[in-house]
Amino acid sequence: AITPEVLAAPAIASGVIALRTSDGRLRGFSTKDGSTLWTVEEAMPTLTLRGNTAPRVAGSLVVCGFNNGRVGAYDVTSGEAQWEVAIANPTGRSDLERLVDVSRGLQVVGSDAYAVGYHGRAVGVDMTTGVVLWQHDISSYAGLGADFTNVYVTSDVDAVVALDRNGGAPVWTQTKLRLRDLTAPTRFGNAVVVGDYKGYLHWLDSGDGHFVAREHAAGGRITAAPLVVGDDLYVQGEDGTVAAYTVPKPAA
C-alpha cells in the first residue's frame, strides 16, 4: 500500500487529531491511542498542486479545503458532514487549466470561515450554516490571512489584496512584489507581513498596503506564512534559518 503524505499541520480538539493527507482525505485520530475515528474522502483530480490546506477547528466543527476546490465543515468527533461549498470549479481543456486546489491559508475568525482557491475565488462562509456570505474572484496558491477587519490574499501573481471581511469588497492592493513567490499574509501589529523567495520579509500597512519595513530574514526561500505567537513573529527559511521579530513598545 502507498502511504499518503502529510503536507499540512493537524488540528486538535475534543480528543481528536484532524489530519489532512495527500490522498484527498481528512482523517480523525484519537489522541489517546492513535486509532482512526473517522475518515472524510473527496475526489482527487488528475493533477493537483503540491501542499494541502491545514484543517481548522471552530467549536465542535473542523473545516478543511480539498484539491477538488471544495471546502467542508465536519463534526470533529464523528466526521459527519455539516456543509460543503465549492469555491472553484474546473474549467479548460488541459489538466493544468483545471487545477482548482483550495489554497493553504484557510482561516476562521469568529463564526466565519475564509478560503481561497487556485483558479477560483475567495469566499466568506458562515460556519454554522455553510451559507456563502460573499465571494471575490481571485486565484491564489499561497493562500490568505485574516483579522477582525480584513481578509488578506496573496494572488497567483503575488499581488497582496485586502478584502473587507464583512462584504468581500476590495480595500487595497499592493502590486510591487509581483512574482516574488510570496507567502500568505500574516497580520502582525499594525502591519501585514509576507515572506518571499529570497528570504525577505515585507511589512505592509494593514490600512492601505503601503510598505512599512523590509528585513532579510533568511538565506533561503520563505515558504510558510510567518507565525505570530504573543507579541512575536517567527519565520523559517529553507536554508534552516529561524528568525523572530517583535514590535518595541513605546517608552512610558
Side-chain angles (χ1 to χ4, degrees):
I2 298 175
T3 302
E5 293 179 286
V6 176
L7 300 173
I12 304 173
S14 303
V16 177
I17 302 170
L19 192 66
R20 174 77 164 84
T21 51
S22 61
D23 58 354
R25 291 179 170 90
L26 176 67
R27 294 176 165 93
F29 298 94
S30 169
T31 58
K32 294 181 179 180
D33 57 18
S35 61
T36 301
L37 301 175
W38 50 262
T39 300
V40 174
E41 183 176 359
E42 290 283 343
M44 282 286 288
T46 304
L47 186 64
T48 64
L49 295 171
R50 177 76 172 170
N52 292 138
T53 305
R56 302 280 183 179
V57 171
S60 62
L61 298 178
V62 55
V63 60
C64 190
F66 297 92
N67 304 90
N68 60 1
R70 300 185 69 83
V71 174
Y74 310 90
D75 185 279
V76 73
T77 57
S78 68
E80 181 180 355
Q82 303 301 302
W83 53 262
E84 291 185 349
V85 173
I87 69 169
N89 293 303
T91 59
R93 295 184 177 181
S94 70
D95 289 336
L96 187 61
E97 292 174 321
R98 295 171 64 83
L99 285 169
V100 290
D101 299 55
V102 175
S103 301
R104 290 172 287 185
L106 184 150
Q107 299 290 327
V108 174
V109 179
S111 61
D112 301 330
Y114 303 95
V116 64
Y118 191 68
H119 293 160
R121 53 186 178 149
V123 299
V125 183
D126 185 294
M127 280 288 293
T128 305
T129 63
V131 172
V132 175
L133 303 172
W134 56 261
Q135 57 185 328
H136 179 81
D137 289 339
I138 187 170
S139 175
S140 174
Y141 170 67
L144 53 75
D147 57 26
F148 282 102
T149 304
N150 295 325
V151 174
Y152 307 95
V153 185
T154 297
S155 79
D156 57 3
V157 293
D158 295 310
V160 182
V161 181
L163 305 173
D164 178 70
R165 190 174 76 88
N166 293 318
V171 178
W172 53 259
T173 300
Q174 176 55 261
T175 61
K176 293 183 179 179
L177 296 171
R178 180 177 173 84
L179 303 180
R180 291 188 69 91
D181 198 10
L182 301 179
T183 67
T186 297
R187 176 67 186 265
F188 180 53
N190 294 323
V192 178
V193 186
V194 292
D196 72 14
Y197 77 111
K198 287 190 174 182
Y200 283 91
L201 286 176
H202 306 269
W203 275 259
L204 312 178
D205 184 272
S206 61
D208 61 14
H210 77 265
F211 289 100
V212 176
R214 184 175 75 166
E215 289 285 339
H216 196 194
R221 183 167 73 105
I222 298 171
T223 303
L227 176 66
V228 174
V229 180
D231 294 328
D232 299 322
L233 179 140
Y234 298 88
V235 65
Q236 181 175 2
E238 288 190 348
D239 65 333
T241 299
V242 177
Y245 297 85
T246 191
V247 177
K249 292 181 172 59

